[in-house]
Amino acid sequence: MIAIMKAEQLKWKRTFIPKLLWLTPLITLLISAVLMGGEYFQTGAYNWWYTMLLPGALTICCALVIEKDKKIKYHSILALPLDLKRIWLGKIVTSSIWLFLITIIFFGGITAGGLLFGHSLPIASSLLSTFVIFLTFLWQIPLCLFLAAKLGTYLTILLNVVANIVGIVAFADGEMWYYYPFAIGPRLLCSTLGILPNGLLVPQGSPLLDKGVILPGLLIALAWFMMISFLTAKWFTKREAK
């Protein structure tokens, strides 16, 4: 598996994936600094981060992971004496590491920004929110890899970004959030950040502040991750016969 992951990372060298790793958090922090600044810098940055910029960057990353192999019709992969399921899982794990790194970079940037503008969020809440974002976005990796393989880069980006927006607008602050996986992260972040997806503060006494939903929400998101990873890996092995 380690050899497969190293091979995947080598393919990234001449793509935009490594640049996305630092460019996306930087753009998010700059937008928040310019538009929000002051005491609202951190909450504003988190709002931009999980509602728009991270979903877009993650989808682009997954699409680019597939694009290089797709251009040569996966011949370089099919020619290898390796289990295709392991190759697919290698793509998922490598992309998951990329997601972990970009969330850590964002956390470092927003913590440093807090020192400059003043902390509006306790570091513990910020760290918990970073942890929630990472785990609740994981399941989108196998989904986006699959969509990119089936539909192509641009349609995958469009579908996933729209699906995230629907989750935020229609489900995140409602009672049915756990049925729509794109809404899980935004719902949990209402309790860890104390802000709604639209950037407003969650009213005092609101059930959205209940931290009791965090563990069940994370377990649901991880269940989606394992299920979609399994199903898409099984689908990928069928390429062996083509």
Side-chain angles (χ1 to χ4, degrees), residues 164-209:
N164 273 280
I165 293 172
V166 171
I168 291 166
V169 173
F171 292 95
D173 58 353
E175 297 181 357
M176 308 296 287
W177 58 271
Y178 46 87
Y179 286 116
Y180 189 71
F182 290 96
I184 295 174
R187 170 62 183 86
L188 302 188
L189 291 168
C190 288
S191 62
T192 62
L193 295 174
I195 59 172
L196 297 167
N198 61 11
L200 298 176
L201 293 175
V202 179
Q204 288 296 323
S206 170
L208 294 176
L209 292 173

Side-chain angles (χ1 to χ4, degrees), residues 8-9 11 47 51 55 61 89-90 109 208 227:
E8 285 297 323
Q9 289 180 330
K11 295 177 187 178
N47 192 253
T51 60
C61 172
L89 293 177
L208 294 176
M227 181 181 68

Side-chain angles (χ1 to χ4, degrees), residues 126-170:
S126 184
L127 184 60
L128 177 59
S129 299
T130 299
F131 179 70
V132 166
I133 288 170
F134 170 67
L135 290 182
T136 56
F137 271 84
L138 265 179
W139 72 272
Q140 294 189 34
I141 290 174
L143 175 66
C144 288
L145 291 173
F146 170 75
L147 290 176
K150 293 289 287 185
L151 305 176
T153 299
Y154 298 110
L155 193 53
T156 297
I157 294 171
L158 176 64
L159 287 175
N160 201 55
V161 170
V162 169
N164 273 280
I165 293 172
V166 171
I168 291 166
V169 173

Side-chain angles (χ1 to χ4, degrees), residues 1-221:
M1 181 62 74
I2 293 176
I4 294 173
M5 291 166 59
K6 288 181 177 179
E8 285 297 323
Q9 289 180 330
L10 283 174
K11 295 177 187 178
W12 294 4
K13 282 191 173 182
R14 294 185 180 180
T15 70
F16 197 59
I17 295 175
K19 294 183 178 65
L20 277 173
L21 196 61
W22 58 267
L23 192 59
T24 311
L26 178 61
I27 290 173
T28 307
L29 297 172
L30 287 175
I31 289 174
S32 185
V34 172
L35 297 182
M36 309 296 287
E39 63 177 309
Y40 299 107
F41 167 75
Q42 288 186 311
T43 53
Y46 266 111
N47 192 253
W48 283 98
W49 180 240
Y50 78 85
T51 60
M52 294 185 65
L53 289 160
L54 181 59
L58 180 61
T59 311
I60 292 170
C61 172
C62 293
L64 292 175
V65 167
I66 291 295
E67 190 175 76
K68 205 158 191 180
D69 290 324
K70 192 174 182 180
K71 281 182 178 178
I72 56 174
K73 298 182 179 180
Y74 304 96
H75 289 319
S76 61
I77 291 177
L78 296 175
L80 296 174
L82 295 172
D83 182 4
L84 290 180
K85 183 181 293 185
R86 288 174 62 84
I87 293 176
W88 184 257
L89 293 177
K91 292 181 182 294
I92 293 174
V93 173
T94 309
S95 301
S96 299
I97 293 172
W98 180 92
L99 175 61
F100 176 77
L101 291 175
I102 199 173
T103 53
I104 292 300
I105 291 171
F106 176 79
F107 172 74
I110 204 167
T111 302
L115 296 175
L116 178 63
F117 294 105
H119 286 284
S120 58
L121 290 171
I123 291 181
S125 294
S126 184
L127 184 60
L128 177 59
S129 299
T130 299
F131 179 70
V132 166
I133 288 170
F134 170 67
L135 290 182
T136 56
F137 271 84
L138 265 179
W139 72 272
Q140 294 189 34
I141 290 174
L143 175 66
C144 288
L145 291 173
F146 170 75
L147 290 176
K150 293 289 287 185
L151 305 176
T153 299
Y154 298 110
L155 193 53
T156 297
I157 294 171
L158 176 64
L159 287 175
N160 201 55
V161 170
V162 169
N164 273 280
I165 293 172
V166 171
I168 291 166
V169 173
F171 292 95
D173 58 353
E175 297 181 357
M176 308 296 287
W177 58 271
Y178 46 87
Y179 286 116
Y180 189 71
F182 290 96
I184 295 174
R187 170 62 183 86
L188 302 188
L189 291 168
C190 288
S191 62
T192 62
L193 295 174
I195 59 172
L196 297 167
N198 61 11
L200 298 176
L201 293 175
V202 179
Q204 288 296 323
S206 170
L208 294 176
L209 292 173
D210 179 18
K211 289 184 170 58
V213 301
I214 294 177
L215 181 58
L218 293 179
L219 292 176
I220 294 171

